[in-house]
């Protein structure tokens, strides 16, 4: 296996929770907790890619590494690719892990599981999913992963959708937005135009599938809390209080 670089894209603006990366979570900014959790995964160097000096400042003050990127990126994938070209212009890192800054309690094993499919040279992108709860099946905020089973814990992705999941036999899976890329696959992906299905579903991973790229999904048991509302922040603080 080649060298792995973990990049956490982080921007200050957020429609539902402005300034989200800097929100205090039990004494630390959320982006710092996300950075520390990424370091604990122990897959290689970790960098925060941001367009905001305040975010870069708190990461560096905590001993982390941050790189400044353009403010006009439309997605985290675009931001991490710019960061990659700045950090590693000579191509020493073969793999890039896109770890979200609003999942500060993601389990290290779930992150490793995201990377696990990359051991297969035929796979371009790895990601994770878990069993879907009944109340999630009709909610467009929860993305459904549809795929062909390759083993008990792995699927080859065929589609991702926000639509109501159909009834019938068999499990349904909730997609969790962590991504492991081959460097060449990330470069190919960000240079593609937005695809018709991507525009319809507002899911950029469909761009990769429409272009013939292979995405494999590892099935995991743990589901990280992603922070999007003040209620999510309160829940996260309660979890951390219970651990201390």
């Amino acid at each position: 296996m080649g060298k792995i670089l973990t990049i956490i894209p982080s921007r200050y603006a957020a429609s539902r929770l402005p300034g989200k990366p800097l929100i205090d979570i039990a004494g630390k900014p959320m982006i710092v907790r996300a950075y520390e959790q990424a370091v604990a995964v122990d897959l290689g160097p970790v960098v925060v890619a941001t367009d905001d000096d305040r975010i870069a400042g708190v990461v560096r003050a905590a001993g982390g590494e941050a790189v400044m990127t353009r403010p006009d990126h439309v997605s985290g994938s675009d931001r991490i690719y710019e960061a990659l070209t700045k950090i590693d212009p000579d191509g020493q890192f073969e793999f890039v892990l896109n770890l979200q800054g609003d999942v500060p309690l993601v389990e290290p094993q779930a992150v490793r599981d995201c990377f696990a499919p990359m051991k297969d040279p035929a796979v371009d992108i790895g990601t994770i999913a878990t069993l879907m709860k009944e109340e999630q099946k009709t909610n467009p905020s929860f993305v459904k992963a549809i795929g062909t089973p390759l083993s008990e814990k792995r699927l080859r992705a065929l589609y991702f959708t926000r639509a109501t999941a159909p009834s019938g036999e068999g499990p349904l899976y909730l997609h969790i937005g962590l991504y492991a890329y081959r460097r060449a696959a990330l470069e190919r992906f960000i240079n593609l135009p937005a695809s018709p299905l991507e525009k319809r579903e507002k899911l950029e991973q469909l761009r990769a599938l429409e272009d013939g790229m292979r995405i494999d999904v590892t099935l995991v048991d743990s589901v990280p809390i992603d922070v999007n509302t003040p209620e999510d922040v309160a829940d996260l603080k309660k979890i951390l209080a219970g651990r201390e």
Side-chain angles (χ1 to χ4, degrees):
M1 295 294 291
K3 294 174 65 177
I4 305 166
L5 177 65
T6 297
I7 305 179
I8 306 173
S10 183
R11 63 188 183 95
Y12 185 85
S15 58
R16 287 186 287 179
L17 201 59
K20 179 167 62 173
L22 301 181
I23 289 174
D24 183 274
I25 306 292
K28 294 180 181 179
M30 183 166 64
I31 188 61
V32 171
R33 289 201 173 273
Y35 176 87
E36 292 175 344
Q37 198 74 351
V39 170
V41 178
D42 195 26
L43 285 177
V46 179
V47 178
V48 173
T50 186
D51 60 353
D52 192 280
D53 289 330
R54 291 164 291 186
I55 295 172
V58 298
V59 171
R60 291 167 180 159
E65 184 178 353
V67 62
M68 299 303 296
T69 55
R70 301 198 322 264
D72 59 342
H73 287 306
V74 297
S75 73
S77 301
D78 295 311
R79 193 174 305 283
I80 68 167
Y81 183 71
E82 183 194 350
L84 175 66
T85 59
K86 287 185 172 182
I87 297 162
D88 183 33
D90 298 327
Q92 295 184 33
F93 290 95
E94 184 180 348
F95 300 98
V96 182
L97 188 63
N98 182 350
L99 185 62
Q100 301 305 315
D102 57 4
V103 286
L105 295 186
V106 63
E107 292 291 337
Q109 186 56 51
V111 181
R112 296 186 193 105
D113 288 339
C114 178
F115 186 78
M118 308 311 290
K119 296 175 183 177
D120 183 342
V123 177
D124 296 297
I125 302 170
T127 189
I128 57 175
T130 193
L131 278 173
M132 179 166 280
K133 297 178 181 177
E134 191 63 34
E135 64 270 20
Q136 296 170 335
K137 295 178 182 179
T138 57
N139 189 332
S141 296
F142 296 100
V143 177
K144 295 82 179 172
I146 298 129
T148 298
L150 300 176
S151 68
E152 184 179 351
K153 288 292 184 179
R154 187 163 151 192
L155 307 173
R156 178 171 179 174
L158 299 176
Y159 196 63
F160 296 87
T161 184
R162 297 182 184 277
T164 297
S167 59
E169 296 183 1
L172 295 167
Y173 298 105
L174 168 68
H175 181 230
I176 300 167
L178 281 64
Y179 296 96
Y181 295 91
R182 293 188 190 280
R183 185 192 186 104
L186 176 60
E187 182 173 7
R188 173 181 167 185
F189 173 75
I190 63 97
N191 281 297
L192 292 170
S195 69
L197 291 176
E198 174 187 3
K199 293 176 181 178
R200 178 183 293 272
E201 294 270 14
K202 296 181 173 58
L203 295 172
E204 67 174 356
Q205 61 268 42
L206 293 175
R207 186 193 322 169
L209 290 180
E210 284 192 83
D211 196 58
M213 299 174 74
R214 176 168 167 178
I215 303 176
D216 275 20
V217 185
T218 304
L219 303 178
V220 301
D221 296 324
S222 63
V223 182
I225 296 177
D226 57 333
V227 178
N228 293 302
T229 67
E231 291 75 21
D232 295 335
V233 174
D235 290 342
L236 198 61
K237 290 179 177 179
K238 288 177 184 177
I239 292 171
L240 285 169
R243 292 182 178 182
E244 297 175 352

